Amino acid sequence: STYIGATEGTDGLLMRLDPEGQIVWKRRLFTDMFGATDVMHGIAVNSNGDLYALADLGRAGVDFFMLLQLDPTDGGVAFSKFLELSAGTTLDVVAGYAGLVVDSQDDLHIAGEFNGPSRNEILLFRCSADGSLEQSERWSENDAAAGRFFGGLAIDASDNLYLSTHSALESGSALRA
């Protein structure tokens, strides 16, 4: 099967296609589930066929990263978790700038841009298949006015992670995480 994730209006949209490209199921996420204005950032499938989606949910002018595990047969939600640095500490994310990949051990890696104390920063999460946070790491500029902006996230066959970023001080860079 092939899965396609996108943002449609104010909702995340997820579809499963069969090998001929026909829609098996189509699910509007978030409004149907949470009643919020939200953005789909990415989808990933692990070696067991478990389907994950990354989104940000907007509430009262603040956006939060949410990780969802979905049933691949119908798109139903198995779990949904807000990503937090520590219990009760969610992040004000910058809508539209995040990525999701799965490594060969079925760990989930999530990178995105968030509003730091005085500038944008990059945060990388590693979560287990059940969505439990295992590690987090931050990147920011030394120059408080510069900020760092997310470009993309990739993983190679050896499970090396790569982030592309840019800032006011440079046009682009790739970081090996």
Side-chain angles (χ1 to χ4, degrees):
S1 293
T2 300
Y3 299 95
I4 298 174
T7 300
E8 179 181 64
T10 59
D11 290 319
L13 176 67
L14 187 61
M15 293 184 288
R16 178 180 173 189
L17 306 177
D18 67 18
E20 289 78 41
Q22 300 299 311
I23 296 173
V24 175
W25 51 258
K26 178 179 174 181
R27 175 121 178 176
R28 286 180 66 111
L29 302 174
F30 315 124
T31 293
D32 295 342
M33 297 173 358
F34 303 105
T37 302
D38 311 294
V39 176
M40 170 82 75
H41 290 291
I43 56 174
V45 180
N46 70 12
S47 64
N48 297 322
D50 298 325
L51 176 63
Y52 297 91
L54 176 64
D56 70 64
L57 277 71
R59 298 279 193 282
V62 177
D63 290 82
F64 303 100
F65 280 139
M66 176 174 269
L67 177 66
L68 300 103
Q69 183 183 33
L70 303 161
D71 183 336
T73 60
D74 65 5
V77 177
F79 73 72
S80 61
K81 294 185 176 186
F82 286 109
L83 298 179
E84 302 174 317
L85 287 175
S86 60
T89 308
T90 55
L91 300 169
D92 181 7
V93 303
V94 178
Y97 303 102
L100 168 68
V101 295
V102 177
D103 67 22
S104 64
Q105 303 301 307
D106 290 334
D107 284 335
L108 305 162
H109 299 272
I110 299 158
E113 186 176 323
F114 74 102
N115 295 314
S118 62
R119 64 195 175 275
N120 286 10
E121 297 181 349
I122 303 298
L123 185 68
L124 177 66
F125 291 101
R126 182 174 50 120
C127 299
S128 63
D130 69 1
S132 299
L133 179 65
E134 294 179 349
Q135 181 180 354
S136 65
E137 191 169 348
R138 286 179 151 164
W139 286 279
S140 63
E141 290 296 330
N142 292 329
D143 179 351
R148 180 155 292 279
F149 304 96
F150 178 79
L153 175 65
I155 192 167
D156 67 18
S158 299
D159 287 342
N160 295 306
L161 291 171
Y162 300 89
L163 286 167
S164 65
T165 68
H166 68 279
S167 76
L169 302 177
E170 61 188 3
S171 60
S173 64
L175 303 170
R176 184 170 169 193

